[in-house]
Amino acid sequence: MTAATGPAVGAADRCAYALRLGDDALVLAQRLTEWSAHAPTLEEDLALENIALDLLGQARHLLTYAGAAEGQGRDEDRLAYWRDDGEFCNLQLVEQPNGDFAATMVRQWLFSTYQRLLYLALRASADPDLSAIGERGAKEAAYHLDHAANWVRRLGDGTEESHRRTEAALLGLWPFVAEMFSGDAVEARLVAAGVAVDGRALRPAFDAAVDAVLAEATLSRPEAAFTARGGRSGHHTEHLGHLLAEMQHLHRSHPGASW
Amino acid sequence: MAQEAPGEDQRAAGFQALVDADHRLEPRDWLPDRYRSMVLRQIAQHAHSEVIGMQPEGNWITRAPSLRRKAILLAKVQDEAGHGLYLYAAAETLGVAREELVARLHDGRQKYSSIFNYPTRTWADVGAIGWLVDGAAITNQLALTRTSYGPYARAMVRICREESFHQRQGFELLWALARGTEAQRRMAQDAVDRWWWPTLMMFGPPDARSPHTAQSMAWRIKRVSNDELRQRFVDMAVPQAAALGLTLPDPELRWNADRGHHDFGPIDWEEFQRVVGGDGPCNAERLRVHRAAHDDGAWVRAAAAAFAAKHRDPVAVPA
C-alpha cells in the first residue's frame, strides 16, 4: 500500500490535494482575521483570532507539503502570495464574506463539521505527513466545531432577532454545502492509493451532525436555492479576488524582498 | 466593654502603614475611596489601551507580507485581547463591571493610551509599535509588578512576560526590513521617525507637571516616576537603534558621562495635550470603531443572555 505513495507516484495529485485543504484553511483564516477588534465581545475577539491562528497553522503545513510534493521550489509564501484566484482550490464556502456574526458562525459551523470528519479520516492516510496533519487538525477542528455549534444553538434559540438572522445565514450558505462532498478524479486516484479521504463518504455523518445541532437551535435544514460548484478546480465567486487583492498586495509590491 | 469601631483617621493610618511596609493590598482590605478611584482609573485606562491597541496593529493582519509574520501578528493581537480581559477582571475587583467601564470609555470619562491615536501607515509601523511602544510599555509595567494593589500587580507579571516577547518580535521585524531592500529600509526608518516622540510621551508629563504623581507614589500605586521611566527607556532604546542601523530623530540625543544617562531633546508637550484632548489623527476613528463593534454586537449578547436564561446556562456571556 505505501509503495504506491512514493514521491514519484501521484506527486501532482498529492500537491493538488494538499492545496485544496490548505487553501480552505488559509482563506477561512483570512476571513476570520477581518473580525479582529470588531467582535461582539472581547472573549469572541480572542476566540475568532484563536481559530484563525489554528487554521493559518494548518495552511502553512499543507502549503509547505504541497510545494515539496510539487518539487519546483515553491514555499508556503510563494504559493500563498503568487497564485491568482483561478489557481486557488478552496471551497467557495470559505471565501464568502463574513456578513453578520450569525453568518460567520454558521459558515464556521458548517466548515468545521466537515473539516473535523475529513481530518479524522485523514489520520488513516498512508502518507505519514498527511496523517500527522489529520491527527493534529482533527483536535483543532473539534474545538472550532464546539465553539461554532454552541453559538448556532444560542443564536437559533436566543431572541427573535438572532433566530431570524441565523435562519437567513443558513439559507444563504446552504448552497455551498454540496461542494464539500462532490469528489473528483484527483481525489478518487488518491483514495485508491490510500492517501486521501473519500469526501463523498462523509456526507451521512455530516448530515446527522448538522441535523442534531439544528434541532437544538430550533432551525431546520433549508432547501438549496442553487448549487455552488467549481472551487476545487479554481472557479470562484467574485469575493475571492478581493480577499486575495488585500492579502497579496504588500508582498507583491516588493518582488524578491524578504520579510 | 464593646470595642469601638476604628475611626476614619485610624483606618487611613493603618492603611498607610500597610503600604509603607510593602504589603500587597487585596480587594477585601479597607481601602480609602481615593485610592480605589486612582487604582481603578489606572487599571481601566490600561485595559482600554490593550483593547484599542488591537486596532492599529490589527490594521495589518490581513495584509501581512508573509504567513509567518501574519501568524506572529495575529498571536500578538490575540494576546492584547487577553491582556484586556485580565485587566478588566482586575478592575472588576474594585466593584465596577466591564459594561460600565466600556460606557465610561465611550463617553470620555476614561481614556486609553494616546499612542494609539497615531495611524499605522505602513507594515514597518507594526515593527515600530512592537519595538518602541511595547518597549515603553514594558519599562512602565515592570515597575508596576510591584504596585501596591495585588490584582493589578499579578496581572502585570503575566502581561510583562508576553510583552517582552512582542518587543523582541517588533525588533526582529525591523531588523529584517533594515537589512532588506532600499524601499524596506526607508519604510523602517520612516516608522521609527514617526513613533519615537509619541513613544516618549507615553510615560506622561514631566514629574513637576504630573497631577497624580505625588499621591500615586505615596500609595505605591506608581513605584517609579514618569521622568525616571522615560530615561530608562531612552537608555535602553539608543543601543538597540544602533544595532538596527536606524537613526532616532533627535539631534540632541547623546551620552552624558556625568549623568551616566543619555540626554535627549525637548518633548512637544503641546502635541501631547492636543492628542490626549481628542485632537489626534485617529482619536475619533478609534472610538467610532469600538462603539460600532459594541453596538453591532448588542443583538449577539442579547441572544446569549436569552438563551442562558431559557436553559439556565450557568455561564452567561459577559457584555
Side-chain angles (χ1 to χ4, degrees):
Chain A
M1 197 162 67
T2 42
T5 64
V9 182
D13 284 346
R14 286 190 292 121
C15 170
Y17 187 67
L19 280 180
R20 293 174 180 188
L21 307 191
D23 289 346
D24 283 348
L26 178 59
V27 171
L28 187 53
Q30 180 74 8
R31 276 287 182 235
L32 292 175
T33 63
E34 294 169 12
W35 272 103
S36 183
H38 292 79
T41 65
L42 199 47
E43 285 81 354
E44 207 46 41
D45 265 316
L46 206 68
L48 291 171
E49 283 158 359
N50 201 36
I51 295 172
L53 209 48
D54 283 347
L55 291 169
L56 185 56
Q58 293 168 11
R60 294 180 66 192
H61 283 298
L62 285 158
L63 294 189
T64 299
Y65 172 96
E70 183 189 53
Q72 289 177 17
R74 291 203 283 182
D75 64 8
E76 58 177 27
D77 285 338
R78 189 76 204 171
L79 288 165
Y81 290 96
W82 289 96
R83 282 180 301 148
D84 291 334
D85 61 340
E87 297 163 273
F88 271 75
C89 320
N90 56 280
L91 297 164
Q92 291 183 4
L93 174 71
V94 296
E95 73 204 33
Q96 296 312 301
N98 286 337
D100 63 9
F101 186 72
T104 290
M105 277 303 141
V106 169
R107 184 186 63 197
Q108 190 66 48
W109 167 59
L110 294 172
F111 179 74
S112 297
T113 303
Y114 157 78
Q115 198 200 33
R116 179 176 161 273
L117 293 169
L118 177 80
Y119 280 158
L120 282 173
L122 194 62
R123 293 180 305 171
S125 172
D127 183 305
D129 292 326
L130 291 178
S131 170
I133 287 170
E135 187 73 45
R136 181 176 160 169
K139 289 184 193 128
E140 292 171 345
Y143 279 116
H144 307 167
L145 173 59
D146 201 38
H147 187 76
N150 276 334
W151 272 114
V152 170
R153 290 186 190 98
R154 282 192 199 109
L155 297 178
D157 191 20
T159 62
E160 212 171 293
E161 180 181 8
S162 68
H163 182 85
R164 175 175 56 71
R165 285 175 182 263
T166 312
E167 198 167 44
L170 191 60
L171 192 66
L173 292 167
W174 198 256
F176 297 95
V177 165
E179 195 188 7
M180 300 188 227
F181 311 102
S182 53
D184 72 349
V186 170
E187 190 177 290
R189 285 194 294 274
L190 290 172
V191 168
V195 171
V197 175
D198 181 359
R200 290 166 308 175
L202 303 176
R203 184 77 205 238
F206 175 89
D207 284 340
V210 162
D211 287 345
V213 174
L214 285 177
E216 291 176 81
T218 69
L219 292 163
S220 47
R221 220 201 285 185
E223 288 295 319
F226 64 97
T227 307
R229 47 173 71 84
R232 295 300 190 210
S233 45
H235 299 283
H236 293 283
T237 60
E238 292 172 346
H239 305 296
L240 183 64
H242 294 275
L243 178 144
L244 294 179
E246 183 173 351
M247 184 177 93
Q248 296 174 335
H249 167 261
L250 175 60
H251 183 97
R252 289 199 188 193
S253 298
H254 298 264
S258 301
W259 300 94
Chain B
M1 197 172 73
Q3 217 175 350
E4 238 179 277
E8 194 79 353
D9 287 351
Q10 273 174 288
R11 282 175 158 181
F15 168 80
Q16 189 65 52
L18 287 176
V19 169
D20 293 343
D22 252 340
H23 181 84
R24 233 354 116 58
L25 299 159
E26 297 299 333
R28 63 180 174 275
D29 292 333
W30 182 86
L31 306 170
D33 288 345
R34 187 156 148 69
Y35 177 88
R36 282 180 177 276
S37 73
M38 284 181 76
V39 172
L40 179 70
R41 185 185 65 89
Q42 189 165 336
I43 302 177
Q45 167 159 337
H46 194 160
H48 298 324
S49 301
E50 296 282 356
V51 172
I52 297 291
M54 293 166 71
Q55 290 182 40
E57 297 187 86
N59 181 35
W60 283 94
I61 298 174
T62 58
R63 293 175 290 168
S66 73
L67 297 187
R68 174 174 163 268
R69 292 288 179 197
K70 192 192 287 285
I72 291 171
L73 180 56
L74 185 51
K76 182 188 174 183
V77 173
Q78 190 195 16
D79 284 347
E80 280 160 8
H83 297 172
L85 281 177
Y86 313 148
L87 287 163
Y88 281 126
E92 285 185 329
T93 62
L94 292 161
V96 184
R98 199 202 309 178
E99 181 75 28
E100 170 60 19
L101 298 172
V102 169
R104 292 182 192 179
L105 170 67
H106 287 173
D107 68 20
R109 275 179 291 163
Q110 289 178 348
K111 296 203 182 301
Y112 54 89
S113 175
S114 216
I115 193 76
F116 298 120
N117 291 319
Y118 292 87
T120 48
R121 294 207 185 104
T122 73
W123 170 250
D125 290 24
V126 171
I129 289 183
W131 174 45
L132 294 175
V133 174
D134 292 337
I138 295 164
T139 306
N140 187 27
Q141 290 164 13
L142 270 176
L144 287 172
T145 59
R146 296 185 301 119
T147 188
S148 55
Y149 190 59
Y152 191 30
R154 287 188 289 275
M156 282 303 106
V157 170
R158 192 159 168 188
I159 288 172
C160 277
R161 270 189 219 126
E162 292 179 351
E163 292 289 2
S164 62
F165 207 61
H166 298 164
Q167 201 218 358
R168 267 179 286 163
Q169 288 167 337
F171 181 86
E172 197 255 333
L173 190 161
L174 290 176
W175 177 276
L177 294 181
R179 274 146 196 77
T181 64
E182 181 51 30
Q184 287 177 306
R185 212 200 62 77
R186 274 202 311 271
M187 199 191 277
Q189 183 61 59
D190 167 65
V192 170
D193 289 347
R194 283 182 290 110
W195 289 93
W196 175 251
W197 290 108
T199 300
L200 294 192
M201 295 174 196
M202 282 173 70
F203 297 97
D207 297 342
R209 283 193 278 141
S210 177
H212 305 291
T213 290
Q215 183 63 77
S216 192
M217 297 278 284
W219 278 337
R220 301 196 180 178
I221 299 170
K222 196 172 199 157
R223 303 296 305 244
V224 184
S225 79
N226 294 355
D227 286 331
E228 190 179 339
L229 289 169
R230 188 164 17 244
Q231 183 69 60
R232 281 185 194 175
F233 172 75
V234 170
D235 290 340
M236 177 196 75
V238 170
Q240 291 179 353
L244 285 170
L246 297 172
T247 311
L248 296 172
D250 178 359
E252 295 177 43
L253 191 62
R254 63 180 55 83
W255 177 251
N256 180 330
D258 293 342
R259 290 203 307 126
H261 291 293
H262 293 86
D263 290 339
F264 51 94
I267 292 170
D268 181 354
W269 292 111
E270 277 177 31
E271 174 180 327
F272 175 75
Q273 290 303 342
R274 194 171 66 237
V275 178
V276 168
D279 187 12
C282 300
N283 301 56
E285 175 66 4
R286 299 292 183 240
L287 273 180
R288 184 196 66 74
V289 167
H290 195 270
R291 275 198 203 99
H294 190 73
D295 294 348
D296 290 349
W299 70 270
V300 177
R301 297 189 299 274
F307 182 88
K310 268 188 230 181
H311 296 271
R312 294 194 166 76
D313 185 343
V315 187
V317 172

